[in-house]
Amino acid sequence: MTKDWYAWHADYEQPGSALSRRLAEVRVRIREALDAAPSGPLRAISLCAGQGHDLIPVLAAHPRRDDVTARLVELDPRNAEVARKATAEAGLTGVEVVVGDAALTDRYADLVPADLVLVCGVFGNIVDADIRAVVGHCAALCATGGTVLWTRHRREPDLVPTLCGWFAEEGFTPVAVSSPADGVGVGVHRFTGTPRPLAPGVTMFEFVGHHRLTHP
């Protein structure tokens, strides 16, 4: 059975739920990244953006809001419509919501390297080999000094330590990584290398879904 990713977002509205706690942490980290970003125009991209609950509210209230050109890519048109409505209500004219496969590099070609790359809700829904591939692609998606913000559960088998090692191999340094005791998995890495060219026409991952990964 295909998961209803529109209905899935309802858990964000439940106080104390894992998703609502993760969202709160992600928003804090996005705000910090914007606070630390250099002056001038900024670019942001969000893979599998859902309804944009992470980025849009932060941008709406942030002093740098008008400096940001952003693209949110989401496959479910219902989720994308929610994100578009929130963007319009916030008056974020620099934010674009695109319906499509977020795994395709071509979706981001004209906006990278970006200052902020959001890979939230992805790493728990794809196989380990694809996670490694996405980390490699982040070295093309992210600008030097830019921030990649990602999420991944801390349940066993806990891949986060390995994931952090993969980011290090690609020229990223950790800014913040939640511990298993936090109950949510949020990571922030800053790119210190030189961005690689983004390969055109590449599918970076297959979104399998957590249930299929754990119940093959």
Side-chain angles (χ1 to χ4, degrees):
M1 181 179 296
T2 302
K3 191 176 187 69
D4 186 341
W5 291 103
Y6 179 82
W8 175 86
H9 281 73
D11 275 357
Y12 281 120
E13 306 300 325
Q14 302 302 316
S17 71
L19 275 183
S20 67
R21 288 185 288 112
R22 188 184 80 178
L23 177 61
E25 177 70 11
V26 167
R27 285 175 175 174
V28 167
R29 299 303 181 182
I30 292 174
R31 192 173 299 112
E32 290 175 347
L34 291 173
D35 289 344
S39 60
L42 299 173
R43 294 177 171 185
I45 59 173
S46 179
L47 287 65
C48 300
Q51 296 176 1
H53 292 313
D54 45 15
L55 182 61
I56 294 171
V58 176
L59 277 183
H62 200 276
R64 301 295 304 277
R65 52 173 285 154
D66 294 329
D67 294 336
V68 178
T69 299
R71 179 171 299 148
L72 285 65
V73 183
E74 165 61 28
L75 187 61
D76 191 315
R78 299 170 299 169
N79 289 332
E81 183 56 32
V82 173
R84 284 198 186 105
K85 182 178 179 181
T87 298
E89 290 176 348
L92 294 170
T93 57
V95 177
E96 176 189 20
V97 181
V98 173
V99 176
D101 186 352
L104 303 179
T105 55
D106 292 348
R107 301 288 184 192
Y108 315 99
D110 59 333
L111 267 187
V112 298
D115 303 281
L116 179 63
V117 177
L118 302 183
V119 193
C120 299
V122 178
F123 288 162
N125 292 286
I126 64 179
V127 299
D128 292 0
D130 279 359
I131 296 175
R132 180 65 185 90
V134 171
V135 172
H137 286 295
C138 282
L141 296 172
C142 194
T144 302
T147 299
V148 173
L149 201 156
W150 50 273
T151 60
R152 165 75 186 201
H153 64 78
R154 298 305 306 261
R155 298 184 298 273
E156 294 296 334
D158 186 359
L159 190 68
V160 169
T162 300
L163 214 161
C164 289
W166 290 338
F167 271 107
E169 291 173 7
E170 298 295 341
F172 289 84
T173 59
V175 175
V177 179
S178 59
S179 72
D182 294 332
V184 294
V186 178
V188 184
H189 277 74
R190 183 165 294 122
F191 188 46
T192 59
T194 301
R196 295 196 296 263
L198 183 67
V202 172
T203 299
M204 296 182 284
F205 59 88
E206 178 189 0
F207 195 96
V208 177
H210 178 71
H211 183 78
R212 285 176 57 194
L213 289 174
T214 54
H215 300 81

